Amino acid sequence: MSVDFFDYRFPEETPVPEHYPGYLREVDASGRTYGTLSYNRRSKCWTIHAEPCVTELAKRLFPGCDGRGRGVARFTAHRRVVGDLNWLMLRYPLEIKETDRSRWQQALEEAREYAIHRERVLREPETAVPPDDSFTGRLLDFQQQGLAFLLSTRRCLLADDMGLGKTVQALAFLATAAAYPAIVIAPPHLLRNWQSEIARFLNEKGRLRVHVIRGLKPYPLPEADIYLTHYLLLRGWKDVLPETGFRTAIFDEIQELRRNGTGKYSAASLLSQSVENCIGLSGTPIYNNGGEIWNVVNILDFHFLGDWESFSREWCYGYNSAVVAKPELLGDYLRREGLMLRRLKGDVLKELAPKRRLVQEIDWDDGVYRELMLPVAQQLKLLRATSDPAQRAIIEDAICQRQRQATGIAKAPFVAAFVRALVEGGEKVLLMAHHHAVMDIYKRELKALRPRFITGRETDAQKEKAADDFMQGKTDLLCISLRSASGLNLQRASCVVFGELDWSPAVHSQAEDRAHRIGQQDSLLCYYLVSPRGSDRDMQDALGLKVSQFVSLMGDEVPDREDQLMQQSLARERIRNLVERLEAESASEDE
């Protein structure tokens, strides 16, 4: 269903009081009029043809209006701008073109509803709303308030801090509003996580149809309730997606659209105009670069911040300047006008556990994995040819080590992309891994963030300096080998990211405790980034990790000697199971 971008109505259940601001009262045009008002459907604007005294005043008071041409002034058909235009007409009544009178009346009603809604939100915060029963998760109070905001606003930016559940709130909106079909656009490395989150929170019984759009070349899309794609594919589907009939578009990490003039920006703009509900998600709203936030907001609500020239002149340091003069004032304006909701971790700290663990699926390079696993075929042949327990254990360990490294390398670029987003969002991150080859990829991919490393290859002095640089704020990213973190006190960290896993739960808990120590005032968020294949599946089982769940691992307490022996025995059994699975897969491929 395609709708006019400016025809959006607030939900019917939203009560609309009889009173509204005086500047939105009816214009009396029964007496003298100073010109005409008409609607241009192509450019989606209201056009004044009037005496010079009217158009001159319009251009002087509202520089954002298009003033090209003597006796002509054009106003974008935005519900906020319609209010300004009505205010002008109270002083200089205009004759509305007969064919456009019903459209003007509808636009005026929408402007009134918008003004009333905005004032109500300013007077009282959004009341928490529980999600629909089709949503199988549990929302915290602040997340229920976020759901209420999404339901009442429909075109908005949810800009909560990293780790506060923006994805979950967006899914709760889809369920509660039944706003299907919907399309989710996300960075490539987050598509798999959206799939798993949808499966957990919306599709536990498998009733929703989910389709992942592949490739730049359009093809007939199957019927589905939710479609997933990433930003790099948008340009290829530019002409198709707006005609598909989506009711909702969710732009995850919408700062990806901070630069206009690109194919993906143009495609996103057309898609946004075709839907009823348009939600942007970002933990890093951009205030210090005016051009970027203007572009982002334009996707959600066209000309909410006016045209570029007037925005840059009034909010920035002059025409075409890209630096906002008062970022805090702009942020307050976006919140006050009801376009943006942003909560920091400090705002909701009482609702958060001191330490939260989140298991998240990450994408990976299957070609790289397969190439790195080629030597395993020969090792499996050697394993089949020997019955000596000690020799078999050595070969099994070598196979396991090979697969663990292949898994870590195959997902390393995607882990790096995930971590980059965290650091750019203001988080202080400890990135944990096991293999030097994986660390080398992190060093290359994250070079711009000036990371420090503690990998076991450094001297004691280098290790101490890396830790000091992180604690003193010279870098916000410290990469640490899983078993090289003992004795470190790194409570400045706000996130711990496990790019690779260890067989021992205690190793992970001890790594987390590098940040979760006395002096840590934040709610520490620990991400376990896992791939859908490779060794992660077996290691997740060993650790008791379930995708998309906040979990409590065994190993939160320091294990005694008996526990250590049991963990070693379990690890040996897990390695044996891993190798047996590889043997079965190899035999199946041979057939």
Side-chain angles (χ1 to χ4, degrees), residues 141-153:
D141 286 347
F142 78 88
Q143 293 171 331
Q144 291 186 22
Q145 291 172 352
L147 171 59
F149 170 76
L150 297 178
L151 289 169
S152 65
T153 307

Side-chain angles (χ1 to χ4, degrees), residues 453-470:
F453 288 84
I454 299 176
T455 66
R457 293 185 285 192
E458 299 80 12
T459 64
D460 288 343
Q462 291 171 327
K463 175 181 175 180
E464 184 177 348
K465 185 177 187 308
D468 288 345
D469 284 353
F470 179 79

Side-chain angles (χ1 to χ4, degrees), residues 554-573:
M554 58 179 286
D556 281 344
E557 299 178 358
V558 178
D560 57 24
R561 178 63 179 168
E562 184 177 346
D563 288 336
Q564 291 176 349
L565 291 173
M566 181 177 293
Q567 287 179 15
Q568 291 172 8
S569 176
L570 288 172
R572 167 55 53 194
E573 183 180 344

Side-chain angles (χ1 to χ4, degrees), residues 471-531:
M471 289 300 294
Q472 293 170 16
K474 295 180 181 179
T475 181
D476 290 330
L477 176 58
L478 180 59
C479 304
I480 309 175
S481 289
L482 276 164
R483 293 179 180 255
S484 297
S486 60
L488 296 174
N489 189 2
L490 303 167
Q491 69 268 27
R492 179 172 176 265
S494 59
C495 283
V496 179
V497 177
F498 292 94
E500 291 190 277
L501 304 179
D502 193 282
W503 289 108
S504 170
V507 168
H508 293 280
S509 292
Q510 289 164 7
E512 292 171 351
D513 286 344
R514 298 311 98 206
H516 192 248
R517 302 173 72 85
I518 295 174
Q520 170 64 268
Q521 301 298 319
D522 205 348
S523 172
L524 184 69
L525 185 55
C526 304
Y527 284 104
Y528 288 75
L529 304 184
V530 299
S531 61

Side-chain angles (χ1 to χ4, degrees), residues 8-259:
Y8 168 70
R9 305 280 293 180
F10 285 101
E12 291 182 3
E13 64 269 21
T14 302
V16 181
E18 292 296 324
H19 60 278
Y20 43 79
Y23 66 88
L24 289 171
R25 68 180 184 271
E26 293 286 343
V27 173
D28 182 6
S30 60
R32 180 182 176 184
T33 58
Y34 292 80
T36 62
L37 179 70
S38 60
Y39 183 74
N40 186 311
R41 286 162 177 77
R42 173 171 294 185
S43 59
K44 296 186 175 70
C45 69
W46 289 97
T47 303
I48 295 176
H49 290 274
E51 296 177 17
C53 64
V54 178
T55 54
E56 185 276 334
L57 182 64
K59 295 169 187 177
R60 181 153 48 89
L61 292 179
F62 306 106
C65 76
D66 184 352
R68 288 172 292 182
R70 185 183 299 112
V72 179
R74 298 178 182 85
F75 287 74
T76 302
H78 189 285
R79 53 187 182 267
R80 292 173 55 255
V81 178
V82 165
D84 296 336
L85 178 54
N86 196 75
W87 177 83
L88 178 67
M89 289 168 61
L90 289 173
R91 172 63 180 87
Y92 293 103
L94 301 171
E95 180 70 27
I96 300 174
K97 189 176 178 181
E98 186 173 353
T99 55
D100 293 326
R101 286 176 185 171
S102 62
R103 179 179 285 272
W104 170 256
Q105 198 60 42
Q106 179 183 348
L108 187 58
E109 287 299 319
E110 291 174 7
R112 290 167 176 168
E113 291 176 14
Y114 173 76
I116 292 166
H117 172 77
R118 182 186 59 196
E119 289 303 314
R120 189 181 70 244
V121 169
L122 286 175
R123 289 195 305 270
E124 55 191 49
E126 295 285 358
T127 303
V129 172
D132 184 79
D133 290 342
S134 60
F135 178 81
T136 56
R138 184 183 69 85
L139 297 182
L140 299 173
D141 286 347
F142 78 88
Q143 293 171 331
Q144 291 186 22
Q145 291 172 352
L147 171 59
F149 170 76
L150 297 178
L151 289 169
S152 65
T153 307
R154 302 288 177 131
R155 285 188 171 272
C156 56
L157 174 62
L158 181 59
D160 286 346
D161 245 353
M162 289 274 190
L164 295 188
K166 293 185 291 295
T167 300
V168 172
Q169 292 174 71
L171 293 178
F173 166 80
L174 287 181
T176 308
Y180 306 113
I183 182 168
V184 176
I185 304 94
H189 68 279
L190 293 181
L191 278 187
R192 192 172 296 279
N193 182 63
W194 272 95
Q195 287 178 267
S196 61
E197 298 288 82
I198 290 169
R200 169 162 170 74
F201 292 111
L202 296 185
N203 207 22
E204 193 175 64
K205 298 180 180 179
R207 293 172 182 169
L208 282 181
R209 299 162 297 176
V210 180
H211 176 73
V212 180
I213 297 174
R214 308 285 187 186
L216 280 167
K217 186 177 180 180
Y219 55 85
L221 290 173
E223 287 191 10
D225 300 292
I226 300 177
Y227 297 81
L228 299 172
T229 190
H230 60 77
Y231 288 102
L232 300 179
L233 299 184
L234 279 182
R235 59 186 176 86
W237 291 79
K238 176 179 178 179
D239 298 323
V240 176
L241 296 181
E243 303 299 324
T244 303
F246 299 117
R247 289 188 60 200
T248 303
I250 297 174
F251 293 95
D252 191 15
E253 303 294 347
I254 195 174
Q255 71 272 12
E256 291 277 333
L257 299 174
R258 62 187 178 274
R259 296 184 181 89

Side-chain angles (χ1 to χ4, degrees), residues 403-404 407 533-540 578 581:
Q403 190 184 36
R404 285 183 65 190
T407 302
R533 291 185 57 199
S535 60
D536 279 356
R537 183 166 43 168
D538 297 274
M539 300 183 84
Q540 281 177 254
L578 182 153
R581 181 168 55 79

